[in-house]
Amino acid sequence: MRIRRRELWFVGPKSVELREGEPLAAPGPGQVKAQALYSAISQGTELLLYRGEGPQVFDLSLAKPVQGFPLRYGYCWVGKVVESGAGDVSIGQHVLALRPHGDEHVLCADEMRVLPEDLPPVRATLSPMLETAVNIVWDSGVGLGDRVVVLGGGVVGLLTAMLCKRSGAAFVAVVEPSARRRRCAELWGIDEARPPDADAPAGDADVVIEATGNPALLDRAVAHAAFEATIVVASFYGDRRSPVSLGDAFHRQRLQLKSSQVSHLPAAKLARWSHTRRFALVLELLGDSRLDGLIEPAVSFDAAPATYARLDADPGAALHTVFDYDLQLPPV
C-alpha cells in the first residue's frame, strides 16, 4: 500500500527509506502549502551523504543544518501551491524551494521562488545547478579570449563550461571519463571534450575549474594552469582528503586557488547584485530548451532507494536525475 505522505530519509551509510510523514498544518499568514511535482538529486553532494562521507554537520548553508543519521536532505524541490496564506502567491502556481525530498512542504515567502508559468517544472529543477555555475564563472573571473579547462563533466561542470563560452572564453575544454557526458559537451559547442587518459596538461590555461569531486585531481589542475592563472574548486569534497603539491609549480607560478560556493555572492558583485537578481539571470538562462538534454527521464519517487543505489554503483553514467511524484512503480 502506498504511503500517504512520503518523506525520504537517509538512515545510515548507503541506506535510504521512504517514511510516512506527520500531517502538515495549514499555512499561516505569508506561507503556502505545496505538493511536489519534481525534486532533483545532487549527485555530488547527496552521494557524499548517501555514502556517509560528509561532515557531521552536513550543510551549514541550510537554515536548519542537518547533523547525523537519520536525516532528511534535498536542495531542489518544485511543487504546486495547493493552499495559500500569502497574498501574492496563488493556488496553482509553481514554486521552487531548497527543501528535502518529499510529497509536501509548508513554505514561507523567503523559502521559495515563484516560477514563471511558461517554465517547464522539470527544467526548473536545474535552477540550483545553474546558480552554482553562475557563481563559479563569477569567482573564476573568466573573460574575453581566455583559455579554460573544466575538470569534470557532470551537470555543474557542463553548465559551467557552457557559461564560460557565453562569457567570452576563446577555448573551453572539458576533461571527463564518461563518453556520454563528453558528447553532451560537444553538443553544447564546447571546443574540446576529452577523457582523462587523453588529457595532457600544457600549463596554458588562464582558468582551471575543478568539478570532479575528487581532491586528488587538484595536482592535475595545477599542471593545466598558466603563470598567475586561477584555479577554482567547485567541488564539495566532504570528508575526502588527498595530499596536494604546493611546493613547486603552484608556488613558482604564483597560482591562485579559490573556492566557489553558491550560498554567498562574490564580494566584487555585492554592490550591484543580490540573490534575487542572480535568480532572475538563472530564469533567463532556463529559457534555453537545450537544457532539457541534461535531464534524465524522471523516475518514480517510490523508486528512490533503488535510484540512490544505482547512482552510487555507477556515478558517472547519469546526468541530471529527477524524481517524479506522480509516477508510481508498476505492480509486481
Side-chain angles (χ1 to χ4, degrees):
M1 184 174 68
R2 176 169 170 164
I3 298 171
R4 285 182 296 173
R5 199 179 75 78
R6 300 163 296 175
E7 296 178 347
L8 188 146
W9 285 81
F10 295 87
V11 297
K14 301 197 176 185
S15 182
V16 167
E17 294 178 359
L18 292 183
R19 297 179 175 179
E20 183 168 350
E22 296 294 326
L24 295 180
Q31 294 182 322
V32 304
K33 179 186 284 188
Q35 290 182 347
L37 297 171
Y38 299 99
S39 62
I41 296 175
S42 167
Q43 291 186 61
T45 300
E46 284 189 64
L47 285 184
L48 284 177
L49 175 57
Y50 176 75
R51 296 166 181 151
E53 295 178 346
Q56 279 301 303
V57 179
F58 187 73
D59 194 339
L60 289 169
S61 67
L62 298 178
K64 296 179 180 179
V66 290
Q67 182 172 1
F69 293 117
L71 58 86
R72 297 186 67 195
Y73 188 75
Y75 82 106
C76 182
W77 186 92
V78 174
K80 177 190 290 187
V81 175
V82 293
E83 296 180 46
S84 180
D88 56 346
V89 183
S90 302
I91 291 173
Q93 286 189 295
H94 293 166
V95 292
L96 168 78
L98 305 181
R99 297 301 292 270
H101 305 285
D103 278 322
E104 290 182 323
H105 285 295
V106 171
L107 304 167
C108 298
D110 61 355
E111 295 176 322
M112 63 184 175
R113 302 280 190 179
V114 178
L115 299 171
E117 291 184 5
D118 59 350
L119 176 61
V122 69
R123 193 188 305 161
T125 63
L126 285 167
S127 301
M129 297 291 197
L130 267 170
E131 284 192 291
T132 299
V134 167
N135 249 41
I136 292 167
V137 173
W138 282 346
D139 284 324
S140 74
V142 168
L144 192 66
D146 280 342
R147 295 179 62 85
V148 180
V149 173
V150 180
L151 301 179
V155 176
V156 169
L158 290 173
L159 290 173
T160 301
M162 177 265 289
L163 292 182
C164 285
K165 289 292 291 183
R166 186 178 174 124
S167 298
F171 178 85
V172 178
V174 171
V175 181
E176 165 58 44
S178 165
R180 182 184 177 202
R181 292 176 173 181
R182 294 198 303 271
R183 287 193 298 271
C184 193
E186 291 165 353
L187 290 173
W188 272 99
I190 304 306
D191 298 286
E192 189 173 342
R194 53 183 181 258
D197 58 8
D199 183 38
D204 62 352
D206 301 287
V207 172
V208 184
I209 295 164
E210 200 298 287
T212 67
N214 182 359
L217 290 181
L218 282 172
D219 279 335
R220 178 164 293 226
V222 169
H224 273 291
F227 185 75
E228 293 197 343
T230 298
I231 299 168
V232 178
V233 178
S235 300
F236 174 50
Y237 297 136
D239 282 344
R240 295 177 175 180
R241 301 288 185 271
S242 181
V244 180
S245 176
L246 301 179
D248 191 9
F250 176 84
H251 183 74
R252 295 184 182 279
Q253 292 187 207
R254 296 171 52 86
L255 302 181
Q256 182 176 196
L257 184 64
K258 298 180 67 175
S259 86
S260 182
Q261 205 278 333
V262 69
S263 298
H264 298 276
L265 299 175
K269 297 288 184 182
L270 286 176
R272 298 170 306 282
W273 284 82
S274 63
H275 287 84
T276 299
R277 184 182 175 190
R278 184 182 66 182
F279 190 73
L281 171 60
V282 166
L283 289 179
E284 178 185 332
L285 295 169
L286 284 169
D288 191 336
S289 62
R290 292 180 300 169
L291 289 168
D292 294 340
L294 294 175
I295 304 172
E296 299 282 354
V299 297
S300 170
F301 186 49
D302 286 327
T307 301
Y308 281 95
R310 171 173 56 82
L311 294 174
D312 178 55
D314 193 0
L319 289 167
H320 188 60
T321 301
V322 177
F323 292 131
D324 186 324
Y325 286 76
D326 285 335
L327 287 176
Q328 296 187 41
L329 293 174
V332 178

